[in-house]
Every structure is written in C-alpha cells, then in structure tokens.
Amino acid sequence: MLPLAAHLRELRKRLIRSAVAALAGFLVSYYYSRELYDLIARPLIPAMPEGSAFLAFTGVAEPFFVYMKVGIAGGIILGSPVILYEIWAFVAPGLHKSEKRLFIAIIASSLLLFAAGVVFAYLAVFPFAFKYLMSYASPELKPFISMGGYFSLATKLLIAFGAVFQLPLAMLVASRLGLAEARQFLSWWRYAIVAIFVAAAILTPTPDAFNQLLMAGPLVVLYGIGVLAAWLFGRKK
C-alpha cells in the first residue's frame, strides 16, 4: 500500500495529464468553434420565420465568450478519453478483478447512455421544440435570439437529456447495492410513469404535450430496460 505522499504525487501526475489533454482539446475545438456553434444551432435556423433566420449578439464580447464556451466544452469531450484513462489508472490498483470489470462496465454504459440522450435530444427533440417555440412569431413579433442565450438553452437541454438517459444504469446500480429489487421497480411502475411525466414537463422547453412525450416516451422505455437489467444482473438473494 502506497503512503499518502505517494498517492498525492500520483494524483498530481494524473491531474496534470488530464489538464494537458483538455487544453489540447480546447485548442482544437476553439479553432473550429464557429463550425461547432453552427452545428449546435442547425436545428434552430429552419424553425425560424423567413427573414428572421439568424442569431444575433447583444454585447460586444458575447461572440468571444460563446466561442470560448464552445471550445471548453469541446476540449472536455476531446480530452475525455485521456481523462477517463487517468481516472482508471489512479483507481485501478485499489480494485479487485471483479470490481475492475464492474467499474469499466459502469463507465462505458454511462457514456453510451449519455451520448444516446444527447443525440436523441439533438435529432428528435430540438426540431419539434424549436418549431413550436417559433410558432409564437408574427408580423408584429419577430424573434431576435442572442447566440449566448441559444447556446445556454441548447447545452442545458443536451445535458438534461444525457442525464435522464442514465435511468437504467441508476436502477441497475441500486439493485446491485441491494437498495431495490427488480420486482420492486416493477411494482412502482405507476409512480414511475407519473414521475417521468413530471420530469418531462419540467425539463422540456415547451408546454405542449407532444414535446413532453418526446422525453417521457423514451424514459418509460428506459425504465422498462432498467427493470430488465435489474432482473438479469441485479443482486440475487
């Protein structure tokens, strides 16, 4: 077992490598920040009324700071393989073989579910949600959307969908820890559906039922997958 000083030196080394990876990713992402921002804004532009299909900036430094945020987000994403490896290299020596397999499975599943939530929000939710929101425009009411405001909304929604798509994994972990069993999850399905629709009403940017169903529907399916995962891989008495 390594002494505390050795652990701290190891942690510092891992943190420095992670920071260098994130910085390298930031430099690449910032160089392409305009293109990346255009990609994020792509679902909004077709939904805007003719003659208003553009984004604006309301402060002198707003584009600079928005592109910086794009670069930072991109840097974290591009640097994530190195960051995750450094986390793994730091914790792996203290884990048993079975714990290592479980750790890798949880991290890989979490990343896949998060990516699935982000892709689903971008491809399925954004076009319909923005089309609905832009329907409030009229000859007397023209949209004038700041690039910073849109980026903030888009990133919050993408993160929210990525987070709620972790539901099956959270259920499986709870089952493995002995906090709940598959049969309990199954018996709670009525409460789960109510909670899912409440969460969808809060997280979706529009009040209409269709866009809420775009989040609630997949979550109901994911809850069923979570029940199945808890049944197959949860702790057995």
Coordinates of all heavy atoms in Angstrom, one line a residue, residues 49 54 65 69 78 83 94 100 106 109 126 138 150 152 156 158 161 165 172 183 189 192 203 206-207 225 237:
P49 N -38.8 32.0 -38.5 CA -39.6 32.6 -39.7 C -38.7 33.1 -40.7 O -37.6 33.5 -40.5 CB -40.4 33.7 -39.0 CG -40.4 33.4 -37.5 CD -39.1 32.7 -37.3
F54 N -31.7 34.0 -38.3 CA -30.3 34.4 -37.9 C -30.2 34.5 -36.4 O -31.3 34.7 -35.7 CB -29.9 35.7 -38.6 CG -30.7 36.9 -38.2 CD1 -30.4 37.6 -37.1 CD2 -31.9 37.2 -38.9 CE1 -31.2 38.7 -36.7 CE2 -32.6 38.3 -38.5 CZ -32.3 39.1 -37.4
F65 N -16.9 35.2 -25.9 CA -17.2 34.3 -24.7 C -18.0 33.0 -25.1 O -17.7 32.0 -24.6 CB -17.9 35.1 -23.6 CG -17.0 36.0 -22.9 CD1 -17.2 37.4 -23.0 CD2 -16.0 35.6 -22.1 CE1 -16.4 38.3 -22.4 CE2 -15.1 36.5 -21.5 CZ -15.4 37.8 -21.6
K69 N -16.7 29.2 -24.7 CA -17.5 28.1 -24.0 C -17.6 26.9 -24.9 O -17.5 25.7 -24.5 CB -18.9 28.6 -23.7 CG -18.9 29.6 -22.6 CD -20.4 30.2 -22.4 CE -20.4 31.2 -21.3 NZ -21.8 31.8 -21.1
L78 N -13.1 16.1 -26.2 CA -12.0 15.5 -26.9 C -11.0 15.0 -26.0 O -10.3 14.0 -26.3 CB -11.3 16.6 -27.8 CG -12.1 17.1 -29.0 CD1 -11.4 18.1 -29.8 CD2 -12.4 15.9 -30.0
I83 N -8.7 11.7 -20.0 CA -9.2 11.9 -18.6 C -9.7 10.7 -18.0 O -9.4 10.3 -16.8 CB -10.2 13.1 -18.6 CG1 -9.6 14.4 -19.1 CG2 -10.8 13.2 -17.2 CD1 -10.6 15.5 -19.3
G94 N -6.3 -0.2 -6.7 CA -7.0 -0.5 -5.4 C -8.3 -1.3 -5.6 O -9.0 -1.6 -4.6
K100 N -12.9 -4.2 -11.0 CA -12.4 -3.5 -12.2 C -13.4 -3.7 -13.4 O -13.7 -2.8 -14.1 CB -11.0 -4.1 -12.6 CG -9.9 -3.7 -11.6 CD -8.6 -4.3 -12.0 CE -7.5 -3.9 -11.1 NZ -6.2 -4.5 -11.5
I106 N -19.7 0.1 -15.9 CA -20.5 1.2 -15.4 C -20.1 2.5 -16.2 O -20.9 3.2 -16.8 CB -20.3 1.5 -13.9 CG1 -21.1 0.4 -13.2 CG2 -20.9 2.8 -13.5 CD1 -20.9 0.5 -11.7
S109 N -21.1 2.1 -20.0 CA -22.6 2.2 -20.1 C -23.1 3.6 -19.9 O -23.9 4.1 -20.6 CB -23.3 1.2 -19.1 OG -22.9 -0.1 -19.3
F126 N -35.1 18.7 -30.6 CA -34.8 20.1 -30.9 C -35.6 20.6 -32.1 O -36.2 21.7 -32.0 CB -33.3 20.3 -31.3 CG -32.4 20.5 -30.1 CD1 -32.9 20.2 -28.8 CD2 -31.2 21.0 -30.2 CE1 -32.1 20.4 -27.7 CE2 -30.4 21.2 -29.1 CZ -30.8 20.9 -27.8
S138 N -44.9 36.5 -35.2 CA -46.0 37.1 -36.0 C -45.4 38.3 -36.7 O -44.2 38.7 -36.4 CB -47.2 37.5 -35.1 OG -46.8 38.5 -34.3
Y150 N -29.1 31.2 -26.9 CA -29.4 29.9 -27.5 C -28.4 28.8 -27.0 O -28.8 27.7 -26.8 CB -29.3 30.0 -29.0 CG -29.4 28.7 -29.7 CD1 -30.7 28.0 -29.7 CD2 -28.3 28.0 -30.2 CE1 -30.8 26.8 -30.3 CE2 -28.4 26.8 -30.7 CZ -29.7 26.1 -30.8 OH -29.8 24.9 -31.3
S152 N -26.8 28.6 -24.3 CA -27.1 28.2 -22.9 C -28.3 27.3 -22.9 O -28.2 26.2 -22.2 CB -27.4 29.5 -22.1 OG -27.7 29.1 -20.8
K156 N -28.0 23.2 -21.9 CA -28.7 22.7 -20.7 C -29.6 21.5 -21.1 O -29.7 20.5 -20.4 CB -29.5 23.8 -20.1 CG -28.7 24.9 -19.4 CD -29.6 26.0 -18.9 CE -28.7 27.0 -18.1 NZ -29.6 28.2 -17.7
L158 N -29.3 19.5 -23.7 CA -28.4 18.3 -24.1 C -27.9 17.6 -22.9 O -28.0 16.4 -22.8 CB -27.3 18.7 -25.0 CG -27.6 19.2 -26.4 CD1 -26.4 19.8 -27.1 CD2 -28.3 18.2 -27.2
F161 N -31.0 15.8 -21.1 CA -31.3 14.5 -21.8 C -30.3 13.4 -21.5 O -30.6 12.3 -21.3 CB -31.6 14.7 -23.3 CG -33.0 15.1 -23.6 CD1 -33.4 16.4 -23.5 CD2 -33.9 14.2 -24.0 CE1 -34.7 16.8 -23.8 CE2 -35.2 14.5 -24.3 CZ -35.6 15.8 -24.2
F165 N -31.1 9.9 -19.4 CA -30.9 8.6 -20.0 C -30.1 7.7 -19.2 O -29.9 6.5 -19.6 CB -30.3 8.8 -21.4 CG -31.3 8.9 -22.5 CD1 -32.3 9.9 -22.5 CD2 -31.3 8.1 -23.6 CE1 -33.2 10.0 -23.5 CE2 -32.2 8.1 -24.6 CZ -33.2 9.1 -24.6
L172 N -30.0 -0.2 -12.2 CA -29.1 -1.4 -12.0 C -28.2 -1.3 -10.9 O -28.0 -2.2 -10.1 CB -28.3 -1.6 -13.3 CG -27.3 -2.8 -13.3 CD1 -28.0 -4.1 -13.0 CD2 -26.6 -2.9 -14.7
R183 N -38.4 -6.7 -8.8 CA -39.8 -6.8 -8.6 C -40.4 -5.5 -7.9 O -41.6 -5.1 -8.1 CB -40.1 -8.0 -7.7 CG -39.5 -7.9 -6.3 CD -39.7 -9.2 -5.6 NE -39.2 -9.2 -4.3 CZ -39.0 -10.3 -3.5 NH1 -39.3 -11.5 -4.0 NH2 -38.6 -10.2 -2.3
W189 N -44.3 0.9 -11.1 CA -44.4 1.5 -12.4 C -45.4 2.6 -12.5 O -45.1 3.6 -13.3 CB -44.8 0.3 -13.4 CG -46.2 -0.2 -13.3 CD1 -46.6 -1.2 -12.5 CD2 -47.3 0.3 -13.9 NE1 -47.9 -1.4 -12.6 CE2 -48.4 -0.5 -13.5 CE3 -47.6 1.3 -14.9 CZ2 -49.7 -0.3 -14.0 CZ3 -48.8 1.5 -15.3 CH2 -49.9 0.7 -14.9
A192 N -43.6 5.6 -11.2 CA -42.5 5.9 -12.1 C -43.0 6.7 -13.3 O -42.4 7.7 -13.7 CB -41.8 4.7 -12.6
L203 N -38.4 19.6 -17.7 CA -37.2 19.7 -18.5 C -37.4 20.1 -19.9 O -36.5 20.7 -20.5 CB -36.4 18.3 -18.5 CG -35.9 17.9 -17.1 CD1 -35.3 16.5 -17.2 CD2 -34.8 18.8 -16.6
T206 N -41.0 23.4 -23.9 CA -42.3 23.8 -24.4 C -43.4 23.2 -23.5 O -43.2 22.1 -22.9 CB -42.5 23.3 -25.8 OG1 -42.4 21.9 -25.9 CG2 -41.4 23.9 -26.7
P207 N -44.5 23.8 -23.4 CA -45.6 23.3 -22.6 C -46.5 22.3 -23.3 O -47.4 21.7 -22.7 CB -46.4 24.6 -22.2 CG -46.2 25.4 -23.4 CD -44.8 25.2 -23.9
I225 N -36.3 -1.0 -19.5 CA -35.0 -1.6 -19.7 C -34.3 -1.8 -18.3 O -33.6 -2.7 -18.0 CB -34.1 -0.8 -20.7 CG1 -34.8 -0.9 -22.1 CG2 -32.7 -1.3 -20.7 CD1 -34.1 0.1 -23.1
K237 N -30.8 -12.7 -4.1 CA -30.9 -13.1 -2.7 C -30.7 -14.6 -2.6 O -31.1 -15.4 -3.4 CB -32.2 -12.7 -2.0 CG -32.3 -11.2 -1.8 CD -33.6 -10.9 -0.9 CE -33.6 -9.5 -0.6 NZ -34.8 -9.1 0.2

